[in-house]
Amino acid sequence: PNAQKPFRKHYLPRDRFYPKPTLRTQMSGTVGLRILYASETGNAQDVAERIGREGKRRHFEVNVCSIDNYNPISLPLESHVVFITSTTGQGDPPETFKRFWRFLLKKSLPADSLNGVACAVFGLGDSGYVQYNVTGRRLAVRVKALGAEELLPIGLGDDQHPNGYEATLDSWVIKLWQTLRSRCPLPPGKQEPPLGQELPPELGEPKYRVAWLAPGAADVDADVAPELARAWAVAVMDAASGSGITLSHPTPGGAHGPGRPFLARLTRNDRLTAPNHDQDVRHLEVDLSGSQLAYHPGDSLALWPATPPALVEEFLTRCHLDGDARVQLSAASPAPGAPPAPSAPVTVRALVAGALDIASVPPRRYFFEGLSHFATDDRERERLQDFASSEGRDEVYRYCNRERRCVLEVLRDFPSATPPLEWLLTLCPRLQPRLFSISSAQALHPTTCHLTVAVVAWKTPTKRPRVGLCTRWLSRLDPADPAAVLPVWIAEGTLKMPPSPAQGMLLVGPGTGVAPLRAFLQHRQAERSGPVPGGPGPGG
């Protein structure tokens, strides 16, 4: 279509696979449904995958894709698109959303670019912030301005609700299916559950297929540091899920990021607060020598946290897994036309330690649904099914979310349920990198990076002690130990220095804490001493 021509002006890398648009398939009678998600912590992805599973059961031709792996020039060719996006911090969009959003804001796009495309948007946010769900709201307005038809009003999930975003999601999804079915009749000879009811549990298929390799098979993480092996496991899972990334050996060097972090030595770890103070606040110094990592005031140091080895071993034992076994992963349902996803051997231990969050965040509802299919005890199965239902939201909130029970604790409570590895990789939450505001200026500390970290510790309503996975690990690292290394990279921040050193600053950090403010003051100190290489940083 002519409306697609402005979209084709957008340059995209050609060394990766972008899924084709989900057009109506005339021969099968099914209707294409593209689900695009932009996720920061995995919640939006979880929502998108849930809608995708339900869509397949309702005989739609569904394709679920991260928005950063989607070529926007295909958008005018879609028939129905569902956007799931989160809003982070003070109204910030997820990193994965920014490229797509910059493209949609191009002034060269005509107002009828998306004529014939029907869109729905569900946003995830926190009403405790002023810019509540602003990413989803802006997206809904923009696609409508480009001519897209609104399938149904935007859905707004709120973390402040006792049941979280699912309190809104459940009813919104039911309306979505009702709207789509009114536009697209059920294919002849097909049947589906009633549109106004929740779908009964069904196991379906996992996201991954696991090939177990013979003992002695080549292992890419056998000769690298454990920290890099964990990052490599993340890259292997991302590649197997069809993210379009290219796998390369996880050795140091090259551009540093989540799949190739820099192993930085921890050189200082001092407690700032008094020993009898109820808050343990730490000053950490990280050696970036040889990394070529550059940071600016307002940036963050991103790192992969480490799950305590004892908990990793407990998980492996509980799930009857050999941590030293080597496997290869592939997508269970690759996108149509996609080339074979790159794969490489990885140990089961590296997958569990690096890619799965087994000891931090509460599992989502789908975890309980999947776990119920593997429970051999009738009472356990019944309780898990209750947790997975919409009627059981309050109960699972009291059991899991309010008490912050993690995957490992749930598996302890349901000993008869032991999913195989491919289902553990599908059901367990993914371990997320942690971002800490940098509290130093590189103009004063060229080869080091300072962090000011408050160790997270609290008690649940039933007085169960809880600790932050990453901050507890950091607080226990000894700089004198050669093993005190952090897998890190730089994440660009949103706070920027004023463009002129003469411009005054009023620094208030009730949400950010003191760390970025310290970096601003150090940078201003360096500016007063003379010209600062690189200036105030991008956007400053």
Side-chain angles (χ1 to χ4, degrees), residues 404-434:
R404 299 292 294 180
R405 276 187 172 86
C406 63
V407 165
L408 189 54
E409 291 173 311
V410 174
L411 290 174
R412 292 171 186 161
D413 289 344
F414 296 89
S416 78
T418 306
L421 180 60
E422 58 267 27
W423 274 105
L424 290 170
L425 297 177
T426 300
L427 298 173
C428 291
R430 291 287 298 272
L431 190 65
Q432 301 295 328
R434 275 33 173 198

Side-chain angles (χ1 to χ4, degrees), residues 134-186:
V134 67
T135 303
R137 294 176 188 269
R138 288 173 177 169
L139 176 61
V141 171
R142 183 55 180 160
V143 295
K144 191 172 183 179
L146 291 174
E149 178 186 357
E150 183 183 70
L151 267 176
L152 71 164
I154 184 173
L156 301 176
D158 187 4
D159 282 346
Q160 291 290 327
H161 192 282
N163 292 319
Y165 61 80
E166 289 187 336
T168 306
L169 177 65
D170 289 341
S171 58
W172 188 86
V173 170
I174 288 176
K175 293 176 183 177
L176 174 67
W177 300 131
Q178 291 172 335
T179 302
L180 285 171
R181 185 55 70 215
S182 67
R183 299 166 58 94
C184 314
L186 194 66

Side-chain angles (χ1 to χ4, degrees), residues 148-404:
E149 178 186 357
E150 183 183 70
L151 267 176
L152 71 164
I154 184 173
L156 301 176
D158 187 4
D159 282 346
Q160 291 290 327
H161 192 282
N163 292 319
Y165 61 80
E166 289 187 336
T168 306
L169 177 65
D170 289 341
S171 58
W172 188 86
V173 170
I174 288 176
K175 293 176 183 177
L176 174 67
W177 300 131
Q178 291 172 335
T179 302
L180 285 171
R181 185 55 70 215
S182 67
R183 299 166 58 94
C184 314
L186 194 66
K190 301 290 186 180
Q191 294 183 342
E192 67 175 339
L195 290 169
Q197 296 180 13
E198 185 179 5
L199 288 174
E202 182 178 281
L203 186 59
E205 66 175 1
K207 289 172 60 176
Y208 306 96
R209 298 202 186 282
V210 176
W212 295 85
L213 304 181
D219 177 17
V220 76
D221 63 9
D223 58 349
V224 300
E227 294 79 12
L228 285 178
R230 296 198 301 268
W232 173 248
V234 174
V236 168
M237 280 194 67
D238 287 341
S241 63
S243 65
I245 70 168
T246 300
L247 286 175
S248 57
H249 197 280
T251 52
H256 297 295
R260 189 187 291 271
F262 174 70
L263 295 189
R265 288 272 302 121
L266 182 68
T267 57
R268 287 190 64 180
N269 188 354
D270 301 332
R271 176 164 178 153
L272 298 178
T273 49
N276 60 350
H277 194 275
D278 59 356
Q279 177 79 72
D280 183 358
V281 180
R282 297 271 165 171
H283 171 76
L284 283 69
E285 294 188 8
V286 181
D287 185 5
L288 301 180
S289 299
S291 68
Q292 298 184 335
L293 288 173
Y295 63 88
H296 302 280
D299 287 350
S300 297
L301 187 73
L303 59 87
W304 286 115
T307 303
L311 298 183
V312 173
E313 295 306 316
E314 181 185 348
F315 180 88
L316 293 171
T317 301
R318 164 64 181 81
C319 297
H320 311 306
L321 296 172
D322 178 4
D324 296 323
R326 299 176 179 90
V327 298
Q328 279 188 299
L329 305 182
S330 60
S333 299
S343 185
V346 63
T347 64
V348 174
R349 181 176 288 103
L351 280 172
V352 173
L356 304 186
D357 194 333
I358 62 171
S360 176
V361 300
R364 300 182 179 94
R365 204 164 83 183
Y366 184 51
F367 177 85
F368 296 100
E369 180 181 337
L371 198 63
S372 69
H373 291 278
F374 298 99
T376 57
D377 181 88
D378 292 340
R379 287 179 297 180
E380 291 182 15
R381 186 187 310 111
E382 183 178 348
R383 193 178 185 206
L384 288 167
Q385 289 172 347
D386 288 341
F387 283 165
S389 66
S390 57
E391 292 80 6
R393 280 199 309 244
D394 292 339
E395 187 178 356
V396 77
Y397 170 78
R398 288 190 295 269
Y399 166 77
C400 192
N401 299 81
R402 188 178 65 172
E403 292 298 306
R404 299 292 294 180

Side-chain angles (χ1 to χ4, degrees), residues 26-49:
Q26 298 294 338
M27 293 185 64
S28 67
T30 58
V31 175
L33 177 62
R34 169 75 63 189
I35 303 173
L36 299 174
Y37 66 86
S39 188
E40 194 72 35
T41 63
N43 285 335
Q45 180 178 356
D46 186 67
V47 172
E49 290 176 349

Side-chain angles (χ1 to χ4, degrees), residues 485-526:
V485 293
L486 309 178
V488 304
W489 63 98
I490 300 298
E492 183 181 346
T494 55
L495 293 175
K496 305 296 180 184
M497 287 286 293
S500 170
Q503 186 174 349
M505 297 188 298
L506 178 62
L507 303 179
V508 181
T512 63
V514 73
L517 311 188
R518 183 175 183 267
F520 275 43
L521 292 173
Q522 285 193 4
H523 192 87
R524 180 55 57 88
Q525 178 186 350

